[in-house]
Amino acid sequence: MAILKVIEVLSNSEKSWEDATRKAVKQASKSVKNIKSVYIHEQSATVKDDEVIEFRVNLKLTFQVK
């Protein structure tokens, strides 16, 4: 039986929500092992002078506890 744990992570990117998600997984994997899935809980963006300048994601990472 696998035991899974979920943590909430915030990340941002100047490129896209997808890039912000990839950055979150890459950074989290430095200290959290066995990441199994990502659930995007919330997306938002920052606007300046009528242009989107930053994409933000609030996501939940699921990983297996050994």
Side-chain angles (χ1 to χ4, degrees):
M1 177 174 88
I3 297 175
L4 302 175
K5 184 170 184 174
V6 178
I7 59 172
E8 195 165 341
V9 177
L10 305 174
S11 183
N12 64 331
S13 169
E14 294 177 357
K15 295 179 185 178
S16 66
W17 286 295
E18 291 86 356
D19 186 54
T21 301
R22 287 186 183 95
K23 284 182 174 184
V25 172
K26 187 172 184 177
Q27 187 66 31
S29 69
K30 292 179 182 178
S31 60
V32 176
K33 303 302 175 200
N34 303 312
I35 296 173
K36 301 297 181 190
S37 66
V38 177
Y39 169 75
I40 306 300
H41 181 67
E42 187 174 55
Q43 296 174 313
S44 62
T46 303
V47 176
K48 182 177 179 182
D49 298 325
D50 299 327
E51 295 288 331
V52 174
I53 60 169
E54 182 181 62
F55 298 89
R56 297 177 181 167
V57 291
N58 178 340
L59 51 89
K60 295 184 179 187
L61 291 174
T62 303
F63 60 98
Q64 185 174 357
V65 178
K66 291 192 174 191

